[in-house]
């Protein structure tokens, strides 16, 4: 039995994205999104994008993301949210953030900061990639990785905007859960 458990943990580790331990996430750097389609856990990456992670934590703690829809969802590409207007043109009351580009690859479940043409225009919007998207590498700030619940992201309604958009019911930092 012990060998079976050891084998199961080893197999689970192989399925997790590189550098992710889904069995014991760091509560201070784990964002939980309760979506209309299910729960998603995101490992925040302050090692890659400290300013973006700080902003996401701030907005989640303020309840900013609660009730916000997925306004742009493209099959085989990504699901985008974080705009309080639902149009893709809105953001938080805080100033835009400078880019924090890295060589980190965009894979399935990678979280990136949405922005306009200006690299330094990210604010509150973000996207979750459905698949390997190398054309984004080094051009959009990576600030997280889905470690649980990607199936819930896969269920988000498609469209630009979707006819009946799914939303973030609640967003919070795991360490803050009471």
């Amino acid at each position: 039995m012990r060998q079976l458990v050891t084998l199961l943990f080893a197999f689970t580790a192989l399925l997790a994205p590189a550098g992710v331990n889904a069995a014991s996430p760091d509560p201070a750097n784990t964002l939980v999104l309760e979506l209309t389609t299910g729960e998603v856990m995101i490992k925040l990456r302050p090692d890659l994008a400290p300013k973006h992670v700080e902003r996401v934590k701030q907005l989640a703690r303020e309840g900013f993301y609660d009730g916000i829809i997925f306004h742009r969802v493209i099959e085989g590409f990504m699901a985008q949210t974080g705009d309080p207007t639902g149009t893709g043109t809105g953001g938080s009351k805080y100033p835009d953030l400078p880019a924090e580009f890295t060589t980190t690859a965009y894979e399935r479940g990678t979280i990136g900061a949405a922005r306009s043409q200006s690299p330094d225009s990210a604010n509150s919007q973000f996207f979750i990639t459905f698949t390997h998207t190398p054309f984004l590498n080094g051009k959009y700030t990576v600030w997280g990785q889905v470690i649980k619940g990607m199936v819930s992201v896969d269920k988000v309604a498609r469209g630009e905007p979707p006819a009946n958009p799914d939303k973030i019911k609640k967003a919070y930092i795991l360490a803050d859960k009471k």
Side-chain angles (χ1 to χ4, degrees):
M1 182 65 162
R2 178 188 276 172
Q3 289 175 331
L4 181 61
V5 171
T6 303
L7 185 60
L8 182 60
F9 277 111
F11 182 71
T12 303
L14 287 174
L15 294 177
V20 172
N21 181 354
S24 57
D26 171 10
N29 284 303
T30 302
L31 175 67
V32 179
L33 302 177
E34 294 177 4
L35 308 181
T36 48
T37 56
E39 185 176 277
V40 178
M41 291 181 81
I42 297 168
K43 176 184 178 178
L44 299 174
R45 298 292 308 269
D47 57 318
L48 299 178
K51 289 178 174 47
H52 284 74
V53 168
E54 180 183 333
R55 171 69 57 83
V56 168
K57 286 181 175 183
Q58 177 183 25
L59 293 174
R61 288 179 170 135
E62 291 175 1
F64 176 85
Y65 291 117
D66 299 355
I68 290 184
I69 66 165
F70 283 86
H71 64 273
R72 183 173 181 237
V73 185
I74 302 172
E75 182 66 40
F77 179 31
M78 60 86 209
Q80 187 171 333
T81 186
D83 173 10
T85 71
T87 65
T89 61
S92 75
K93 64 184 179 184
Y94 301 109
D96 290 344
L97 295 166
E100 294 178 287
F101 299 157
T102 64
T103 58
T104 303
Y106 274 87
E107 301 295 340
R108 177 169 165 75
T110 301
I111 315 298
R115 61 173 178 81
S116 68
Q117 294 290 352
S118 169
D120 299 327
S121 61
N123 189 291
S124 61
Q125 293 188 45
F126 63 92
F127 58 88
I128 305 170
T129 54
F130 290 124
T131 189
H132 174 72
T133 51
F135 58 90
L136 298 175
N137 295 351
K139 297 177 183 166
Y140 291 82
T141 299
V142 172
W143 59 253
Q145 177 68 46
V146 173
I147 57 173
K148 182 180 173 191
M150 191 61 197
V151 67
S152 297
V153 179
D154 291 336
K155 294 177 185 176
V156 171
R158 295 341 191 225
E160 297 185 65
N164 188 18
D166 287 295
K167 67 181 175 180
I168 300 170
K169 295 192 302 187
K170 182 164 184 57
Y172 60 90
I173 303 303
L174 188 58
D176 298 343
K177 183 153 184 171
K178 300 190 180 12

